[in-house]
Amino acid sequence: MPARPRNPSELAKQVFDIGIGDAEDTVSDLKRHPAKQRKGGLKGGAARAKALTSEERSAIARKAAQARWGKD
């Protein structure tokens, strides 16, 4: 796959051409990896919850409740 141009003027022309439909965007990350941004969030929350003790979870929840409802 060709890389995007580093020259700002050439990049602007390419973006313009893609916008008006004269060219196709061939370097889009979402075309190569459609679920790329979701994977980390799906794994991380479950891994963190599994690693925490009940006391740690309670402390986190207490801090969140204080931040949400404790403001004057």
Side-chain angles (χ1 to χ4, degrees):
M1 245 182 220
R4 290 207 167 133
R6 293 195 180 264
N7 181 336
S9 298
E10 291 175 7
L11 179 59
K13 168 125 177 46
Q14 183 179 19
V15 169
F16 179 78
D17 289 342
I18 291 168
I20 62 171
D22 283 351
E24 186 176 332
D25 188 7
T26 59
V27 189
S28 175
D29 282 340
L30 294 177
K31 286 182 180 177
R32 284 187 264 161
H33 304 286
K36 183 178 181 181
Q37 297 169 352
R38 273 298 272 164
K39 286 183 182 179
L42 294 176
K43 292 179 182 178
R48 182 173 187 228
K50 188 176 181 180
L52 292 174
T53 65
S54 63
E55 292 85 16
E56 290 172 326
R57 283 194 306 273
S58 293
I60 292 169
R62 193 175 305 110
K63 183 178 176 183
Q66 183 64 30
R68 183 172 182 177
W69 292 297
K71 296 179 183 176
D72 290 334

